[in-house]
Amino acid sequence: MSFLKRYLFYLLCITPVALGSCTQEKVPTQPVIVIHGGAGYITKESFTTEKEQHYTLALKQALDTGYAILEKGGSSVDAVEAAIRIMEDNPLFNAGKGSVLTNQKTIEMDASIMDGATGMAGGVAGVTIVKNPITAARAVMEQTPHVLIVGKGADSFAMKTGLTIVSPEYFYVNEYEIVYNNLGPHMHNGSTSNLLKDPDKFGTVGCVALDQYGNLAAGTSTGGMSKKLPGRVGDSPLIGSGTYASNATCAVSATGHGEYFIRQVVAYDIAALIDYTGCSITEAVNIVLDKLEKKNGVGGVIALDNKGNFAMQCNTPGMYRAYKKSDGSSDILFFKD
Ligand code: ASP
């Protein structure tokens, strides 16, 4: 073929195919949503039927709200934010209203969100007047060049952005005064505590979702740990530790003793294992939680891959967790076994 003929052949045959493949629609994916409401000393013995009903209802409301968005063709980021907002507004969980107290009896909340399609992420830490910290985290992701904004700067950013602002008293629930008074002098989320057998003090919340376009997202929101020092930041607002999402691998949200999750970079470690070894989501979660346990870290994770496979694992007696898939399957679980 002469050069001219070859050029014409390329122009007429190859170029449209190449261009076509660029603009091709993605194959629709079956949506999946997975949520958690915290890991810790959650046991059958410490549960009444009434308590079970309250938590079931609360988790179902968050799950259904997020899933309805995915079902209508909404994005995984929208679903994650919406599901987490429902749990932040519910005083049963240690996030938003119902957050635990610092050792100064103040409330400081952390949250983050990550978009697996773009790799963009946002977080806030130590916010005190933002009704829904997860929405502030999303605003950081979408409206600033930053990833994490903390303290007064984060509160005033939320105010300027027009997010709902409330007085610090809004977040208080009486139960946490009792929890606070019963705790020893040290910070904890109760996971390892023998002092408290009350599951009410757990409840960091998180969500991972896969939308119809194959896009993953993850988010986490928390009041942190009871009796933490003011200014302490946990794993929840830290991308790679408490939250991570990438369409290439998976979306992860963690809960547990944050310092251990930070040191072990838990959420990213799960994604990296899948990336580097091609192992399954369940294998990756088991390996990383084993590593965590060897370092005495306690807690759990929810993780969802880009094909809709997911894992919900913890090394505590229980973790509030639930999932819903497009094949109609759905479940709400509390206890480890
Ligand atoms: N990971 C949270 C923190 O350390 C607490 C929790 O999940 O219970 O702030």
Side-chain angles (χ1 to χ4, degrees), residues 38-39 94 110 189 203-204 222-225 232 234-236 254-259:
N94 171 21
D110 305 337
N189 76 344
T204 288
T222 188
M225 309 262 288
R232 176 262 187 187
D235 60 314
S236 308
T255 172
H257 196 145
E259 279 68 12

